[in-house]
Amino acid sequence: MRSRTPDRLCAEAVELARQAAVDTVGAASVGAHLGVTAEADRVVTHTFACEDAAYRGWHWAVTVARAPRAKNVTLDEVALLPGNEAVLAPQWVPWSERLRPGDLGPGDLLPTGADDVRLEPGWSGEDEPAPNSALAETADEDVVVSDPDVQPVPARAEIGAVAEELGLGRARVLSRLGLHAAAERWESAYGPQTPMAQSAPASCTTCGFLVPIGGSLGQAFGVCGNEFGPADGQVVSLAYGCGAHSEAAVLPAPPVPSELILDETVVEPLQIHPDRTSGSVEPDAPAEELGHA
């Protein structure tokens, strides 16, 4: 247990502790003596202010000690410790918790833990038939059937080949939690509550650009195949929609103006103002005097 009263000889070794701090970091970084703390019997820590501008609120801690019945005080360690007003780095967070969507770049590897709740065991790799199936009741050799119309049942089912053909030959598949998490992400990005879907003329269910996907998620999602749509190549909810819907209403064409009609059958006489007095030609001059320029 830590002693309440610091050892007298260790507490008086202030200069020894200061010199140890100065030898470690230099005199410019060691400030005034702040206090003494008893760590244990005959073990004391001297605290000095840190004058380094980069470590505001920190202090130097120099621990000294002495052996039982000894009068010589010896140095234990010198450390820079943070105070109540020290600027500290945020608490370290494991990389698996810091990772965000889009952080993975070319050449990066993202290992998946064996206990990842988003995955569950897939095909076990066993070629043995189920214990309660008809195949389990047969012998290892082929069954001899006298009826030519009845196909013989093999003694051992080639489950591995069938699973590989169906795309099920994977060690792990998405769990129910993983499916729900993926559906929530896709729904938030391209779902019916987005502003684009709220103003769309129709949903993706009736859009010809929707590419269906398989599995249970195919009942609620598909892939957009419209290069002019905002979600081209993305997984979209069937309730999503945008203005690039294949059945969107066609905008009416602007009206075509009628052709210009020129009426050449009517002659409009040009009236000359009677008060006109300027010019080289009199208003009542004969027409033959007008000439042509």
Side-chain angles (χ1 to χ4, degrees), residues 6-205:
D7 181 76
R8 181 180 62 84
L9 294 179
C10 292
E12 293 176 353
V14 177
E15 293 303 322
L16 173 65
R18 177 186 295 276
Q19 188 60 40
V22 170
D23 293 343
T24 303
V25 296
S29 299
V30 182
H33 185 257
L34 301 179
V36 179
T37 304
E39 303 291 348
D41 293 340
R42 297 176 300 278
V43 180
V44 169
T45 297
H46 293 270
T47 304
F48 299 91
C50 179
E51 300 298 335
D52 194 333
Y55 291 92
R56 186 182 62 181
W58 292 63
H59 59 268
W60 296 104
V62 182
T63 303
V64 297
R66 69 180 182 89
R69 295 185 298 276
K71 295 183 179 180
N72 294 332
V73 179
T74 58
L75 175 66
D76 278 4
E77 63 177 356
V78 179
L80 179 63
L81 301 178
N84 296 331
E85 299 180 358
V87 179
L88 302 177
Q91 186 178 3
W92 183 81
V93 180
W95 67 268
S96 57
E97 300 179 14
R98 299 195 309 267
L99 193 65
R100 293 293 179 267
D103 291 347
L104 198 66
D108 296 339
L109 298 179
L110 179 60
T112 304
D115 56 348
D116 195 322
V117 295
R118 300 172 300 170
L119 299 172
E120 62 184 10
W123 174 59
S124 63
E126 296 291 338
D127 264 346
E128 295 290 342
N132 57 347
S133 66
L135 299 177
E137 301 176 357
T138 60
D140 290 342
E141 61 275 2
D142 294 340
V143 178
V144 179
V145 181
S146 57
D147 190 349
D149 296 333
V150 178
Q151 297 294 330
V153 180
R156 185 181 298 271
E158 295 295 337
I159 301 179
V162 176
E164 190 70 25
E165 182 178 354
L166 298 178
L168 303 177
R170 294 176 291 169
R172 289 188 293 178
V173 296
L174 275 175
S175 63
R176 183 174 295 274
L177 177 62
L179 290 172
H180 288 178
E184 290 179 359
R185 293 195 307 271
W186 300 343
E187 191 86 7
S188 62
Y190 298 101
Q193 302 302 325
T194 57
M196 181 65 71
Q198 293 291 329
S199 59
S203 64
C204 294
T205 308

Side-chain angles (χ1 to χ4, degrees), residues 211-248:
V211 180
I213 61 176
S216 58
L217 290 176
Q219 302 176 11
F221 297 94
V223 178
C224 178
N226 189 348
E227 61 177 325
F228 300 108
D232 179 38
Q234 304 295 326
V235 178
V236 296
S237 170
L238 298 183
Y240 179 73
C242 67
H245 194 282
S246 63
E247 310 306 322

